[in-house]
């Protein structure tokens, strides 16, 4: 040891100078890197301005390249919470874990539904934008007060393809909304940090014809999808004259399409909401494929007095489990067809089994 110390003693001054120089270089490099990260490496919530094919300026979110990790322990505990600590053979539904960044069951989605062209189709078209957003935020606060374990996430649920009573020029009994209306929805959602659902009512058209046309928006991380079997008229009846239907094969097509987008664009899982209030609206539910890239919600969207709504929930959602459950409230119809003067309250809905993770207001 002494000989080694003697051999290195004469090099100490030089070695210290080299060492101090390296420290200086590292400090400068680290400072520059942090500065660049704060100003140039923004999160996925930030956006850059680009032009679309019509030369219109749009906000395109940057993809967050920071690797995410799914908290499987928390995921399992939330699933157990949704069944009130009483799991059965049906609930919670046994599926593979979702990809990191999944919304459900970590948050509860509270959505406002409708179309800007019609006040009859839902709350989105009944109020001015500011009034609507304020009212939605009020509902979000109610849910947060009622359930502190699942933070409420606001959502705008916009009907982008609407079933029609007349055939139209393409004889499809559906009307596609202009993309400017979707842009409006995205702009409104940004004001309150809400997510967006694009709702499709195919009429005589098909999911294969309608869904790919929405890819420009579905590839955005904050945009999700909903499909409505009620207006899927496979027997070529006029929409509204009979309740339509989807099969498991239809759901599988859509979920596979969304899964491919998630993989292609490195997105968090998409939420797919499927409306249902009768058994006939969805056939062969056991053949529905669940995927890590897509979270499927079967949303009970029937109206009426509470006992009827709960009965429909059990019939169309609970008894035929797919993955997650949703529950719809109608500001007008639930009151018109009931002796109550107010909607079902969050504390009443939280008593349902399983507890819904998606709440929709029309």
């Amino acid at each position: 040891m002494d000989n080694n110390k003697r051999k290195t003693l004469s090099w100490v001054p030089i070695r210290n100078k080299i060492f101090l120089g390296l420290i200086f270089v590292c400090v400068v490099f680290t400072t520059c890197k942090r500065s660049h990260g704060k100003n140039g490496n923004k999160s996925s919530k930030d956006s850059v301005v680009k032009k679309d094919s019509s030369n219109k300026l749009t906000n395109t979110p940057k993809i967050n390249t920071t690797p995410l990790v799914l908290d499987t322990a928390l995921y399992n505990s939330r699933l157990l919470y949704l069944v009130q600590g009483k799991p059965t053979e049906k609930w919670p539904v046994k599926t593979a874990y979702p990809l990191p960044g999944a919304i459900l069951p970590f948050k509860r989605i509270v959505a406002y539904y409708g179309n800007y062209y019609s006040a009859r189709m839902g709350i989105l078209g009944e109020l001015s934008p500011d009034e609507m957003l304020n009212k939605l935020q009020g509902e979000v606060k109610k849910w947060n007060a009622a359930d502190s374990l699942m933070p409420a996430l606001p959502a705008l649920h916009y009907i982008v393809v609407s079933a029609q009573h007349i055939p139209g020029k393409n004889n499809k009994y559906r009307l596609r909304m202009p993309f400017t209306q979707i842009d409006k929805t995205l702009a409104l959602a940004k004001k309150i940090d809400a997510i967006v659902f694009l709702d499709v009512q195919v009429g005589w058209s098909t999911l294969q014809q309608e869904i790919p046309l929405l890819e420009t928006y579905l590839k955005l991380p904050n945009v999700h999808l909903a499909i409505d079997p009620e207006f899927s008229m496979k027997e070529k009846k006029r929409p509204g004259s009979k309740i339509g239907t989807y099969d498991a094969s239809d759901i599988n097509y859509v979920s596979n399409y969304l899964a491919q987008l998630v993989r292609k664009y490195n997105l968090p899982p998409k939420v797919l909401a499927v409306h249902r209030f009768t058994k006939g609206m969805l056939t062969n539910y056991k053949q529905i494929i669940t995927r890590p890239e897509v979270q499927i919600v079967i949303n009970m969207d029937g109206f009426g007095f509470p006992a009827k709504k709960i009965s429909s929930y059990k019939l169309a959602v609970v008894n035929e489990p797919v993955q997650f459950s949703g529950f719809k409230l109608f500001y007008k119809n639930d009151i018109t067809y009931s002796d109550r003067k107010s909607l079902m309250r969050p504390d009443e809905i939280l008593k349902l089994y399983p507890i819904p993770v998606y709440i929709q207001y029309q």
Side-chain angles (χ1 to χ4, degrees):
M1 290 292 295
D2 292 339
N3 290 334
N4 290 335
K5 288 182 179 179
R6 291 192 191 99
K7 289 179 181 178
T8 58
L9 186 60
S10 60
W11 292 96
V12 169
I14 299 175
R15 183 183 63 187
N16 287 347
K17 291 180 181 180
I18 295 173
F19 182 69
L20 291 173
L22 289 174
I23 291 177
F24 175 78
V25 172
C26 290
V27 169
V28 172
F29 175 77
T30 303
T31 303
C32 293
K33 185 176 180 180
R34 287 177 178 173
S35 175
H36 176 72
K38 289 180 180 179
N39 298 312
N41 188 21
K42 297 182 179 179
S43 68
S44 59
K45 293 182 180 179
D46 296 320
S47 60
V48 292
V49 177
K50 294 184 178 181
K51 291 186 177 181
D52 61 16
S53 57
S54 62
N55 204 37
K56 180 181 178 180
L57 293 177
T58 60
N59 288 327
T60 305
K62 286 185 177 180
I63 295 176
N64 186 359
T65 57
T66 303
L68 300 175
V69 178
L70 181 75
D71 188 337
T72 56
L74 181 59
Y75 182 87
N76 292 337
S77 68
R78 290 296 171 85
L79 289 185
L80 191 61
Y81 169 71
L82 293 176
V83 296
Q84 302 176 23
K86 300 176 182 179
T88 66
E89 291 184 359
K90 290 185 175 182
W91 295 95
V93 181
K94 298 175 178 62
T95 67
Y97 285 117
L99 295 181
I103 294 175
L104 307 175
F106 304 104
K107 294 182 179 180
R108 173 177 288 106
I109 300 170
V110 177
Y112 263 15
Y113 170 96
N115 183 285
Y116 305 120
Y117 290 127
S118 173
R120 297 174 58 188
M121 296 178 72
I123 191 69
L124 284 188
E126 291 183 24
L127 303 176
S128 68
D130 288 339
E131 289 178 306
M132 180 270 295
L133 293 179
N134 288 334
K135 190 174 180 67
L136 172 56
Q137 289 179 300
E139 299 292 1
V140 167
K141 288 181 181 179
K142 291 179 184 178
W143 278 98
N144 281 331
D147 186 358
S148 60
L149 287 180
M150 293 189 68
L153 175 65
L156 301 184
H157 192 119
Y158 180 66
I159 306 170
V160 68
V161 180
S162 174
Q164 301 291 301
H165 291 288
I166 56 176
K169 63 180 182 180
N170 293 317
N171 200 41
K172 296 291 186 180
Y173 286 87
R174 60 95 179 95
L175 180 64
R176 295 169 179 160
M177 300 298 112
F179 280 6
T180 53
Q181 297 300 294
I182 304 178
D183 294 333
K184 176 181 178 180
T185 305
L186 290 171
L188 290 174
K190 186 176 181 180
K191 289 184 176 182
I192 59 171
D193 293 325
I195 61 174
V196 170
F197 281 83
L198 304 182
D199 195 292
V200 175
Q201 303 172 354
V202 296
W204 285 19
S205 185
T206 65
L207 294 167
Q208 289 82 353
Q209 291 175 320
E210 302 300 328
I211 301 300
L213 299 178
L214 301 172
E215 181 170 333
T216 298
Y217 296 98
L218 291 174
K219 69 183 182 181
L220 300 177
N222 63 325
V223 177
H224 304 270
L225 185 65
I227 56 177
D228 199 338
E230 181 180 1
F231 302 105
S232 171
M233 315 311 295
K234 294 186 176 183
E235 296 182 1
K236 302 302 181 184
K237 302 290 185 180
R238 180 173 58 84
S241 65
K242 184 179 179 180
I243 297 175
T245 184
Y246 278 137
D247 185 70
S249 59
D250 297 305
I251 311 302
N252 291 339
Y253 161 74
V254 177
S255 68
N256 180 59
Y257 181 86
L258 292 175
Q260 290 184 38
L261 289 184
V262 168
R263 294 293 186 184
K264 180 178 180 181
Y265 296 105
N266 191 29
L267 303 172
K270 293 291 183 182
V271 178
L272 171 61
V274 182
H275 302 299
R276 189 184 191 191
F277 58 89
T278 69
K279 294 191 70 172
M281 289 174 68
L282 183 57
T283 56
N284 299 311
Y285 82 97
K286 291 183 178 181
Q287 297 177 21
I288 294 176
I289 300 171
T290 57
R291 312 174 194 273
E293 302 90 352
V294 181
Q295 300 190 288
I296 302 175
V297 175
I298 305 300
N299 180 44
M300 197 297 292
D301 69 342
F303 60 80
F305 53 93
K308 180 182 179 182
K309 293 174 72 71
I310 293 173
S311 177
S312 296
Y313 181 69
K314 292 178 179 178
L315 177 72
V317 179
V318 181
N319 291 344
E320 297 191 352
V322 175
Q323 190 171 15
F324 294 102
S325 67
F327 199 85
K328 189 170 185 176
L329 298 164
F330 293 76
Y331 280 116
K332 294 181 178 179
N333 288 351
D334 281 355
I335 304 301
T336 301
Y337 297 94
S338 175
D339 57 358
R340 291 171 56 117
K341 295 183 180 180
S342 62
L343 300 179
M344 290 182 68
R345 302 184 308 272
D347 64 290
E348 294 177 288
I349 297 173
L350 289 171
K351 295 177 182 178
L352 296 176
Y353 183 100
I355 300 173
V357 297
Y358 178 87
I359 304 296
Q360 186 182 85
Y361 290 87
Q362 179 170 335

